[in-house]
Amino acid sequence: MKSVLFFFSLYFVNFSSQEICNYPPSEWCATQEIARACQVENQCLEFYARVSNKKFSDPAVQVELYYESLCGGCRNFIVTQLFPTWLMLNNIMNVTLVPYGNAMEKNNSGKWEFECQHGPEECVGNMMEACLMYYLGNLDDYFLVIFCMESSNNVTMALDACLSIYEPSLSSKKVVECVNSDLGNKLMHQNALRTEALNPPHKYVPWIVINGKHSDDLQSRAQSALFNLICETYTGPKPDACSQKKEEIPSKSDLLCLN
């Protein structure tokens, strides 16, 4: 999965404070928090990336995330739960990202116009990420760029730097052209239809769907410790990584952007 590991440790600091390592080496990879405190995140993630190449025959856990690019709770979930869990458990989970969230659309003379919860810049961010998915196609490629953007100080302004690191073959100019074109308009309308078709209808974002189902309990567990939820939900023999449960972080209402 490329050299994602260095960038993960670099940007994770935006959401966490630096800590001191008071753990023996045998425990350094036990949790993300310990790995970060002991400054061995890269090595631990490399280890999990290697063991994740093992193939598993049972159906992967399906994780759908309905979100918006500038919602603080969405960004927190992507950076602190979804992306690190996917790095370690990508062999038993499939991730679908749908950037749209609490936006609204209307048809004006055959062209869709969008109004986003956090203003026009969020509409641009949503569409940038939809265009990245369209051009790159593979989650292994576009999730790295989206994680990079969502973990930066300015989501939309980070596009060029994130592409230059992870997907230099795709220019930011081409993505911006997509945003301002009929293609970007079409992609965002498709995301609007997918979001509006949710059952039950979404009440906030991040809205998390596990194996086609959403409930308050699943949402709370996903936001508290997605890693544990994926390991528990997977029906086949568990990967080695699942032997280490992660510390649960109580979910908070301020990590939701209400519809």
Side-chain angles (χ1 to χ4, degrees), residues 195-258:
T195 304
E196 292 164 4
L198 284 167
N199 185 20
H202 84 286
K203 300 176 182 178
Y204 48 77
V205 289
W207 188 262
I208 304 160
V209 178
I210 306 293
N211 284 342
K213 298 180 180 179
H214 174 91
S215 68
D216 291 342
D217 179 62
L218 284 173
Q219 177 81 26
S220 177
R221 294 179 66 199
Q223 288 192 270
S224 299
L226 180 65
F227 181 94
N228 297 348
L229 177 60
I230 299 302
C231 287
E232 293 168 12
T233 304
Y234 183 64
T235 56
K238 311 299 183 187
D240 293 341
C242 285
S243 63
Q244 298 289 344
K245 283 195 171 184
K246 305 305 177 184
E247 180 182 356
E248 295 194 8
I249 303 171
S251 58
K252 300 179 182 179
S253 59
D254 61 358
L255 293 180
L256 301 175
C257 293
L258 300 178

Side-chain angles (χ1 to χ4, degrees), residues 13 36 50 59 111 132 142 185 209 214:
V13 157
R36 183 172 64 252
R50 287 196 300 271
K111 185 173 182 178
L132 286 169
Y142 63 71
N185 193 265
V209 178
H214 174 91

Side-chain angles (χ1 to χ4, degrees), residues 33-197:
E33 292 76 17
I34 294 175
R36 183 172 64 252
C38 296
Q39 301 181 41
V40 292
E41 284 180 298
N42 290 4
Q43 292 87 339
C44 293
L45 289 173
E46 285 172 357
F47 167 75
Y48 284 121
R50 287 196 300 271
V51 299
S52 71
N53 290 329
K54 183 178 177 181
K55 300 300 181 182
F56 292 81
S57 58
D58 284 54
V61 180
Q62 305 297 315
V63 180
E64 300 170 44
L65 175 63
Y66 296 81
Y67 71 104
E68 48 198 31
S69 61
L70 300 190
C71 168
C74 299
R75 298 178 67 188
N76 181 279
F77 178 72
I78 290 171
V79 174
T80 67
Q81 294 286 344
L82 185 58
F83 185 78
T85 298
W86 173 74
L87 277 181
M88 292 183 281
L89 298 178
N90 60 81
N91 48 0
I92 62 167
M93 65 184 291
N94 291 328
V95 174
T96 300
L97 301 175
V98 185
Y100 183 78
N102 298 326
M104 300 178 66
E105 68 171 2
K106 65 178 180 179
N107 193 308
N108 186 357
S109 301
K111 185 173 182 178
W112 294 101
E113 294 181 350
F114 304 98
E115 182 178 340
C116 295
Q117 186 170 29
H118 299 94
E121 186 179 2
E122 181 167 78
C123 287
V124 172
N126 291 345
M127 209 171 296
M128 280 180 172
E129 295 182 5
C131 290
L132 286 169
M133 295 179 206
Y134 175 82
Y135 284 129
L136 297 176
N138 191 317
L139 180 72
D140 287 357
D141 298 325
Y142 63 71
F143 201 4
L144 306 181
V145 183
I146 290 174
F147 164 79
C148 174
M149 292 172 63
E150 292 294 335
S151 57
S152 68
N153 291 327
N154 187 308
V155 173
T156 56
M157 292 297 292
L159 173 67
D160 188 65
C162 293
L163 280 173
S164 67
I165 293 171
Y166 288 122
E167 291 298 333
S169 62
L170 176 62
S171 69
S172 57
K173 180 181 178 181
K174 186 172 183 179
V175 176
V176 172
E177 288 174 349
C178 170
V179 169
N180 296 316
S181 71
D182 290 341
L183 173 59
N185 193 265
K186 177 182 177 181
L187 293 173
M188 195 50 46
H189 174 57
Q190 291 174 348
N191 283 354
L193 294 178
R194 292 189 66 172
T195 304
E196 292 164 4

